[in-house]
Amino acid sequence: MFDWDDLRHFAALAYEGSLSAAARRLRVEHATVSRRVAALEAAVGVKLVDRRSGRYVLTPDGNRVAEYARRIEAEAFAIERVALACKEDVAAEVSVSAPPVIATSLIGPRLQLLKESYPHLRLRLLGESRTVSLPRREADIALRLTRPDDMSLVMRKVGTITYGLYASSEYLASRREEDFEFIAFDESLDDVPQQVWLKKLAGERPIVFRTNDLAIQCTAAQAHVGIAALPGFVGCSYGLQRADLQKASISRDVWLTFHRDLRDNFAVASVAGFLADCLRPERTENQTAA
């Protein structure tokens, strides 16, 4: 009989497509995933993956086993959700995935209020830009900037983040509008709405600095490098000035979502209420005019 934990590691590899991605999802070393998959192969006596120049490719037998593994894993996650949903108090750990800017600027500063209200609750807050899988229990609750389309999820709009153009006051005072230069995300994020909007406003004017991190954009703007598209509450917190370029702004809705199996769980409901309060309009929209 094979080890169920070996099957879990193989399922992650099959789902993610690479050792490194599977290791990140399971929060283990990639060598652990490799060892577990090899142990599963030895136990079942079937070659599940071809190892080609550092890449792992599922064999036909591996693909068949992966289908069964996904079903077993889905049922295991369902059992975990049922177990969490049955808990009637807040003496539980609730994991939340949120975009880093929301986790850092809107949730983090208010964590003491959550602790005072629910001292026995344990919160795991993950600041990440990727879309986590709630059915796979990569988190219990997620805040997203796009509306989910998975009908197994409970979802509600809890706020709106308004982006404006921000730069240092020295930068704006020293340049004419036609001479503005811009700060943007790197090419991996070219399709996010605020990046598309920034590039449209920039037109032929140059993007002189790119990064994959919003905080680095802010420090670059502080250093007079150029103009960045930032949430209003972030621009204000870095002491930046709103660039009145065509009075431009763009808004993105924030959606709170969790699996419907957890809708009656008191701990999840308590954290969801706290998160909604963190996204109240006066904490986001109304600061963009600064």
Side-chain angles (χ1 to χ4, degrees):
M1 184 64 180
F2 60 84
D3 187 324
W4 290 104
D5 210 32
D6 293 342
L7 185 67
R8 181 172 69 91
H9 284 73
F10 173 68
L13 175 62
Y15 181 81
E16 298 290 348
S18 73
L19 275 182
S20 57
R24 283 194 298 272
R25 185 165 75 82
L26 295 171
R27 298 186 180 91
V28 299
E29 297 294 329
H30 73 274
T32 301
V33 180
S34 178
R35 176 171 53 81
R36 288 286 192 172
V37 171
L40 180 63
E41 288 182 315
V44 299
V46 172
K47 187 176 183 180
L48 302 176
V49 296
D50 281 327
R51 297 156 178 83
R52 304 174 184 172
S53 302
R55 295 190 306 115
Y56 278 52
V57 179
L58 296 187
T59 64
D61 286 331
N63 276 308
R64 284 191 287 272
V65 171
E67 284 300 314
Y68 288 107
R70 292 185 187 105
R71 295 178 204 169
I72 294 170
E73 186 182 50
E75 295 300 324
F77 288 138
I79 292 171
E80 289 183 359
R81 289 193 301 272
V82 168
L84 178 58
C86 289
K87 295 182 179 179
E88 297 180 353
D89 57 26
V90 292
E93 180 178 90
V94 178
S95 60
V96 175
S97 173
V101 64
I102 294 178
T104 301
S105 300
L106 297 179
I107 301 174
R110 297 179 57 79
L111 287 175
Q112 182 61 27
L113 296 177
L114 179 67
K115 185 174 178 58
E116 290 173 354
S117 299
Y118 306 105
H120 300 296
L121 187 147
R122 302 185 302 279
L123 181 68
R124 181 193 296 269
L125 179 59
L126 308 172
E128 49 193 355
S129 300
R130 72 186 183 98
T131 300
V132 300
S133 172
L134 296 176
R136 297 174 67 85
R137 286 220 68 206
E138 293 179 355
D140 298 313
I141 302 173
L143 290 171
R144 296 177 177 171
L145 295 178
T146 54
R147 189 180 192 278
D149 55 10
D150 186 340
M151 298 309 296
S152 71
L153 304 179
V154 175
M155 63 193 77
R156 64 184 174 111
K157 177 183 167 183
V158 291
T160 300
I161 293 180
T162 302
Y163 291 77
L165 298 176
Y166 287 85
S168 68
S169 56
E170 294 89 342
Y171 183 91
L172 295 175
S174 65
R175 284 168 174 77
R176 299 175 301 170
E177 190 173 302
E178 56 266 31
D179 296 324
F180 284 166
E181 297 171 324
F182 294 86
I183 297 166
F185 284 118
D186 64 18
E187 290 80 357
S188 67
L189 295 169
D190 264 349
D191 59 345
V192 300
Q194 63 269 32
Q195 177 97 329
V196 173
W197 172 73
L198 173 72
K199 291 172 67 176
K200 182 178 179 180
L201 285 176
E204 297 299 319
R205 292 170 293 190
I207 294 174
V208 295
F209 181 77
R210 287 180 179 265
T211 176
N212 66 344
D213 184 82
L214 191 70
I216 296 176
Q217 286 194 30
C218 293
T219 55
Q222 283 182 318
H224 324 308
V225 172
I227 296 175
L230 305 173
F233 57 87
V234 173
C236 292
S237 69
Y238 278 83
L240 300 172
Q241 182 178 329
R242 179 79 176 264
D244 193 20
L245 186 61
Q246 304 176 23
K247 300 187 182 298
S249 65
I250 184 174
S251 296
R252 298 191 67 181
D253 293 334
V254 183
W255 295 85
L256 186 150
T257 181
F258 52 87
H259 199 279
R260 62 188 177 195
D261 288 350
L262 301 177
R263 59 190 165 193
D264 296 324
N265 176 257
F266 188 69
V268 170
S270 300
V271 174
F274 163 75
L275 295 173
D277 186 65
C278 290
L279 271 294
R280 282 165 49 189
E282 60 265 31
R283 309 190 199 284
T284 55
E285 291 182 50
N286 294 344
Q287 296 189 48
T288 59

